[in-house]
Amino acid sequence: MTDNLIRRGLGRGISRRTLLQSTAGIIGGSVLPAMPAFAGDKPAIGSYPAGVSGSTAFIGISVPRTGTYAVQGEDELKGYQLAIEHINGGHDLIKKISPKTSKGVLGKELKFGVADSAAKPNEAVQAQQRFISENKAIMITGGTSSAVAVALNKLAQREHVMFVCGISGSNDTTGKDCVRYGFRQNFFGQTAAAAIGPVMVKEFGKNKKAAYLTPDYTYGHTVTKSMQDFLATAGWTTTTNQVAPLGAPDYSSYLLNVANSGADVLINVNWGHDAVLSTQQAKQFGVLDKMKLVVPYQVPFIARETGGLMQGVYAATDYWWTVEDKFPLAKMFNDAFEKKYGYKPEWGAENAYISFAHWARMCEEAGSFFPPDVIRAYEKGETLPSLVGDVHYRAEDHQCVRPVIIVKGKMQKDMKNKEDWYDVVEIVPGEGLMQKPDAFGCHLGDYT
Amino acid sequence: MISWPNLVSQLFNGLALGALLALISSGLTIIYGTLGVLNLAHGAMFMIGGYAGFVAYQYTESFILAVIAGSLFVMLLGVLMERVIIRHFYHRPHEDQLLVTFGLGICFVEIVRLIFSSQSQVVPPPALFQGITNLGFMFYPTYRLAVVGIVAIALGALFLVLYRTRLGMIVRAGIEDSVMVDSLGINVYRVFMVVFGIGAMAAGFAGIVNAPVVSLTPGVGDDILVETFVVVVIGGVGSFPGAILGGLIAGEIISVTSMFNPGYAYVMLFAAMTLVLVVRPHGLLGVQGRE
């Protein structure tokens, strides 16, 4: 990825930063010979077979490298890069997840291009459309914003190209906006609520008053609603729900409303830098002295970025590195990641890595990149290894059923090293948390 | 139903927010008023002020030195920017100026991101202003109270420079008619350089003073830039008092609207701007007839 082209657009909000593409990918895409309509007995569909007729297969990655989700996007990108390196090199960890993988996927080396989505759906779609049309991307991935994930779902279905979702917590992603060509590894906001809700009721009691800080898009609204629905069963009420735009520069006005709401608990649904800033400012305004803080969907790096404000705070997350005590694959992943990047991976990296590893396995099991075959391999719903134990994908909505990790911020005196931010309180099995596949109105589209 | 304590809280918060916007906008409006350059890198200057101060704080652990370092660094950067690039664009079309300053802003942001990464950096407020103050009707972060005072002093100093010094007189004359100033034998381009430096310094000063309020990221100047332009337009392009009035109005609109429906804060801000433009096309305190 050292030979990237950087293309800049003009205007804030218009292709704000970069479109990075590997030179290999561009050249590969541009010199491909005209493909026959059929490869073997499989009909051409989407970028198949054009994208895999040579010795390589191209993947389009879009992550936010600027904006409020930039930090998480970089972590996610590192997870993708490590997974591709492991897949191409036939690493032992990949073989444990995808036993048929030797080097590459179906013997083809993976190439990839990276685009900055800035967490904006239009930018992500433009970049991925380009990867599909110019580079014949056989699979696209990305996320960190559910709005981006939902938009890429639609693109994937329209273009008949597989979309393996990156970070996305909205109920819509594999709910009302689910598609046949999209799969998601990390859990619903609703699942997070179901996992952390009982912990909150146990810790804080019944009939409490909660104030919410909600980012104004699909992720924020669905997570807040899920939390409200769940906590209502224990008699909790909402005193105020402060809805702020993504990337708000200042939370003071919202926090004054929260401070005057008489709530017992502040449930901060914000994510990325928004979560960091709003939590820091909540402390400045004395809100954290008046009420307890809960983060239902933990933000990677929030503990270090807020410098201790997560001490004693409960959060639900996909992954925390200390689960390596329980899961050998997590230990392998942490070691490899830390060796390459110099820090413990957070859940963006874990999510990216395992999503790719599962996709590689499905292609190997299908024996083809032909998307309907790969989709059907996922839809068998077989038990798969992951970094947090065995998981499976539901055929009905393409959602991975996986455990939710509940963490609690450690007090500074208890931290064993500078990255020992959380205690893992509970690893809640996914099966009991999940709503029915059609609860959010999922109707998968066609295979062809 | 209106909660009076909440309304008073939000009005006060609007004042604090508005003071900061006024300071940043004053730099932008002075530059535009004198040089005729709409500096889209102004948000990046605000951001760099924060980071330069952050670096100084890392070495000295002194907030005062951080403020001085942040302000001076951005002033020097502004002077350098004016000498090397901006002066070539004084007689070029506005769109050229917009594009080049926008491009510079992107470069600055990316350089800072390269050096410091996207992770938030924290500059703590000075020990004297830490904690929360009980104002009787509300609790408010002590440092934010201090910011109102610091900004008021900075604006006062800027006022004295602009209205009580020879340089200020030339600058104000330049805003009215730079050709006339030039014909009086005053080196207008040297004045331009100084003005650009002062304007940039206002942004840099605001950046480091605001750093303990927000956590620093390379994108911290992006949103403030939009608000700053709205403030300048409401107050009147090129008007220093207009920037202050516009800043306070914008701060109050954002804050009070947030009490009822935060989602409409920016809608109301732009609605107010539109209303002002319809009624007074040159802004509330803008100079009539200025080209």
Side-chain angles (χ1 to χ4, degrees):
Chain A
M1 287 302 292
T2 51
D3 298 326
N4 289 327
L5 284 181
I6 299 178
R7 292 174 191 166
R8 291 181 186 283
L10 296 173
R12 206 172 147 272
I14 307 168
S15 196
R16 173 67 177 80
R17 190 181 176 233
T18 55
L19 181 64
L20 305 172
Q21 292 179 293
S22 71
T23 308
I26 295 167
I27 294 168
S30 60
V31 300
L32 281 171
M35 284 296 113
F38 296 91
D41 56 351
K42 308 288 185 190
I45 186 167
S47 55
Y48 179 89
V52 289
S53 58
S55 61
T56 62
F58 190 91
I59 295 165
I61 300 172
S62 58
V63 289
R65 309 189 77 181
T66 53
T68 184
Y69 294 164
V71 177
Q72 290 70 32
E74 286 298 322
D75 186 53
E76 192 178 27
L77 178 58
K78 288 182 172 74
Y80 288 133
Q81 289 171 325
L82 188 68
I84 289 170
E85 185 183 309
H86 282 188
I87 290 168
N88 285 339
H91 192 276
D92 284 348
L93 176 54
I94 283 293
K95 284 184 176 168
K96 286 189 183 298
I97 299 163
S98 176
K100 290 180 187 167
T101 295
S102 54
K103 285 196 171 184
V105 176
L106 296 167
K108 293 183 191 294
E109 184 189 1
L110 296 183
K111 296 277 186 186
F112 65 102
V114 182
D116 176 19
S117 70
K120 292 173 183 168
N122 58 336
E123 297 203 13
V125 167
Q126 279 175 27
Q128 294 289 13
Q129 183 80 63
R130 192 181 183 89
F131 286 140
I132 293 169
S133 57
E134 291 190 8
N135 304 100
K136 309 298 174 202
I138 198 71
M139 183 263 272
I140 59 172
T141 186
T144 311
S145 155
S146 292
V148 168
V150 166
L152 291 181
N153 256 351
K154 289 174 180 160
L155 176 74
Q157 188 68 22
R158 191 181 75 215
E159 297 291 333
H160 293 108
V161 172
M162 295 280 302
F163 170 52
V164 173
C165 183
I167 297 173
S168 167
S170 171
N171 291 343
D172 296 342
T173 308
T174 46
K176 76 177 177 59
D177 293 313
C178 72
V179 292
R180 183 68 65 185
Y181 278 73
F183 291 86
R184 177 170 67 170
Q185 189 273 151
N186 77 273
F187 43 75
F188 289 93
Q190 184 275 341
T191 321
I196 200 169
V199 177
M200 289 169 64
V201 174
K202 188 176 162 193
E203 177 70 18
F204 305 124
K206 292 186 174 180
N207 305 318
K208 295 290 176 183
K209 290 179 279 186
Y212 290 81
L213 283 176
T214 304
D216 192 9
Y217 72 111
T218 177
Y219 156 77
H221 293 296
T222 59
V223 172
T224 293
K225 177 152 192 331
S226 292
M227 289 299 292
Q228 287 172 324
D229 289 349
F230 185 87
L231 291 171
T233 60
W236 283 47
T237 52
T238 299
T239 60
T240 183
N241 179 19
Q242 294 293 306
V243 181
L246 203 62
D250 184 43
Y251 286 85
S252 57
S253 301
Y254 310 105
L255 289 166
L256 282 172
N257 293 341
V258 170
N260 289 315
S261 71
D264 305 306
V265 179
L266 168 62
I267 299 177
N268 193 354
V269 182
N270 279 300
W271 216 80
H273 181 251
D274 293 349
V276 174
L277 180 59
S278 55
T279 301
Q280 282 175 336
Q281 293 193 336
K283 175 68 180 171
Q284 289 171 14
F285 275 83
V287 170
L288 301 187
D289 301 326
K290 283 185 183 176
M291 53 191 86
K292 297 289 184 184
L293 171 69
V294 170
V295 180
Y297 224 105
Q298 184 236 24
V299 188
F301 303 103
I302 189 174
R304 73 184 68 184
E305 288 193 89
T306 56
L309 294 184
M310 291 298 285
Q311 287 172 7
V313 174
Y314 286 95
T317 184
D318 262 42
Y319 188 71
W320 182 247
W321 66 270
T322 59
V323 298
E324 67 183 22
D325 296 344
K326 294 185 178 62
F327 303 112
L329 298 192
K331 171 80 173 133
M332 286 178 77
F333 172 67
N334 292 344
D335 290 347
F337 189 94
E338 194 172 14
K339 188 177 171 194
K340 187 171 173 64
Y341 297 111
Y343 69 92
K344 303 283 188 193
E346 301 234 355
W347 70 268
E350 172 264 349
N351 182 60
Y353 187 95
I354 204 68
S355 297
F356 262 30
H358 285 163
W359 170 77
R361 175 177 170 132
M362 294 308 162
C363 293
E364 296 284 358
E365 292 198 356
S368 167
F369 287 100
F370 183 59
D373 287 354
V374 180
I375 292 167
R376 287 190 178 96
Y378 271 103
E379 289 176 346
K380 284 180 187 167
E382 65 174 327
T383 301
L384 309 169
S386 84
L387 303 184
V388 290
D390 288 345
V391 301
H392 69 273
Y393 287 82
R394 295 201 296 202
E396 300 91 336
D397 62 353
H398 293 185
Q399 173 64 45
C400 184
V401 179
R402 49 148 297 151
V404 176
I405 318 286
I406 304 296
V407 293
K408 184 181 181 185
K410 272 191 171 181
M411 306 313 281
Q412 192 154 13
K413 63 180 171 59
D414 299 326
M415 288 173 65
K416 294 188 184 108
N417 59 57
K418 66 181 172 63
E419 292 185 274
D420 188 25
W421 294 103
Y422 294 104
D423 275 322
V424 173
V425 177
E426 206 173 333
I427 299 173
V428 191
E431 199 68 68
L433 303 173
M434 300 284 280
Q435 78 298 344
K436 288 182 177 156
D438 61 353
F440 296 116
C442 172
H443 297 287
L444 296 166
D446 297 329
Y447 291 92
T448 55
Chain B
M1 201 175 83
I2 295 173
S3 152
W4 289 107
N6 201 8
L7 177 62
V8 175
S9 309
Q10 293 289 10
L11 283 171
F12 190 84
N13 191 53
L15 176 70
L17 185 63
L20 191 77
L21 286 174
L23 180 60
I24 311 167
S25 307
S26 62
L28 187 70
T29 209
I30 291 168
I31 291 173
Y32 181 75
T34 314
L35 285 63
V37 174
L38 267 175
N39 180 20
L40 289 182
H42 203 67
M45 305 298 235
F46 170 81
M47 176 273 296
I48 289 172
Y51 273 93
F54 166 72
V55 172
Y57 184 83
Q58 294 290 303
Y59 283 103
T60 65
E61 296 200 350
S62 162
F63 187 73
I64 292 175
L65 288 179
V67 171
I68 294 170
S71 309
L72 288 181
F73 183 82
V74 177
M75 186 180 77
L76 288 175
L77 183 68
V79 168
L80 196 68
M81 190 173 146
E82 195 276 340
R83 283 292 91 177
V84 177
I85 298 171
I86 302 298
R87 71 190 180 106
H88 300 293
F89 287 84
Y90 287 140
H91 304 294
R92 300 274 285 272
H94 274 307
E95 53 268 34
D96 288 9
Q97 297 172 354
L98 292 176
L99 290 173
V100 77
T101 54
F102 181 76
L104 279 169
I106 290 179
C107 292
F108 290 149
V109 169
E110 294 309 324
I111 290 167
V112 169
R113 195 189 307 281
L114 197 67
I115 298 169
F116 296 95
S117 89
S118 293
Q119 284 202 26
S120 311
Q121 310 290 351
V122 177
V123 180
L128 183 65
F129 299 130
Q130 281 179 0
I132 303 159
T133 299
N134 186 355
L135 294 175
F137 58 93
M138 67 181 290
F139 290 92
Y140 204 71
T142 308
Y143 181 71
R144 286 198 183 223
L145 286 173
V147 167
V148 178
I150 293 168
V151 169
I153 292 168
L155 286 171
L158 209 51
F159 175 84
L160 288 177
V161 170
L162 286 175
Y163 288 88
R164 296 286 183 271
T165 66
R166 181 176 155 77
L167 172 69
M169 191 176 68
I170 296 168
V171 169
R172 283 184 292 123
I175 292 174
E176 295 294 326
D177 193 339
S178 61
V179 177
M180 179 63 78
V181 173
D182 197 28
S183 63
L184 289 171
I186 295 165
N187 185 341
V188 174
Y189 288 100
R190 187 170 297 163
V191 175
F192 282 5
M193 181 186 75
V194 174
V195 168
F196 206 93
I198 292 173
M201 187 174 71
F205 178 85
I208 178 61
V209 167
N210 195 46
V213 174
V214 297
S215 52
L216 274 177
T217 60
V220 76
D222 289 358
D223 290 295
I224 211 88
L225 182 69
V226 177
E227 291 172 21
T228 305
F229 268 94
V230 173
V231 166
V232 168
V233 169
I234 289 177
V237 178
S239 166
F240 176 67
I244 297 172
L245 180 64
L248 295 177
I249 290 172
E252 293 298 354
I253 288 173
I254 292 172
S255 206
V256 174
T257 310
S258 296
M259 189 176 81
F260 300 101
N261 188 334
Y264 287 112
Y266 283 92
V267 175
M268 292 304 289
L269 183 63
F270 281 93
M273 184 192 77
T274 308
L275 187 67
V276 167
L277 284 178
V278 168
V279 180
R280 287 184 63 89
H282 295 281
L284 293 175
L285 301 177
V287 183
Q288 282 279 336
R290 190 183 175 284
E291 287 301 315

